[in-house]
Amino acid sequence: MGPLNLGLWVAGVALVAAAYLRGVPYYRRYQALRAQQENIRRYETWRGRPTEAGPSSADLMEAELRRRARSWLVAGVVGAALIVAGFAVR
C-alpha cells in the first residue's frame, strides 16, 4: 500500500460521502415534489378542470432539483471510481 493508493481511497471516500450528504436531500425533495404534483394533477382531473398548457413553477423546481441530484450522483460515481482505482494502482 503506497501513498498513491491511500490518497485515492481517501479522496474517493470523501467524494462519496459528500455526494451522499449533499445529493440525497435534493433527491428526496424532488420525489416529494413530484408526488405532490401528481396528486394535484389527479385532483384537478377528477374535478374536471383543464390542466395548464405551460410548465408550472413546480415543474421548473423539479427540473432544478433533478439537475442538482444528478450532479451529486456523478460526483459519487467518480468517488467510487477513485476507490476502485486505489485498489487497481500498484
Side-chain angles (χ1 to χ4, degrees):
M1 178 172 84
L4 180 61
N5 299 84
L6 188 60
L8 288 172
W9 291 334
V10 169
V13 168
L15 201 53
V16 168
Y20 179 78
L21 292 174
R22 297 290 307 238
V24 168
Y26 290 127
Y27 181 72
R28 286 184 183 152
R29 180 65 184 130
Y30 165 71
Q31 290 294 337
L33 187 59
R34 195 170 86 173
Q36 183 181 21
Q37 283 303 109
E38 188 59 37
N39 191 28
I40 290 171
R41 285 186 183 107
R42 276 195 312 269
Y43 178 73
E44 293 297 328
T45 302
W46 176 76
R47 298 246 351 221
R49 293 183 183 170
T51 58
E52 296 178 9
S56 67
S57 59
D59 293 332
L60 298 175
M61 188 61 174
E62 280 182 20
E64 178 65 20
L65 290 169
R66 187 174 46 244
R67 183 190 65 81
R68 289 182 182 187
R70 190 178 303 138
S71 66
W72 282 109
L73 175 66
V74 169
V77 169
V78 169
L82 287 175
I83 293 170
V84 170
F87 285 106
V89 173
R90 297 214 178 249

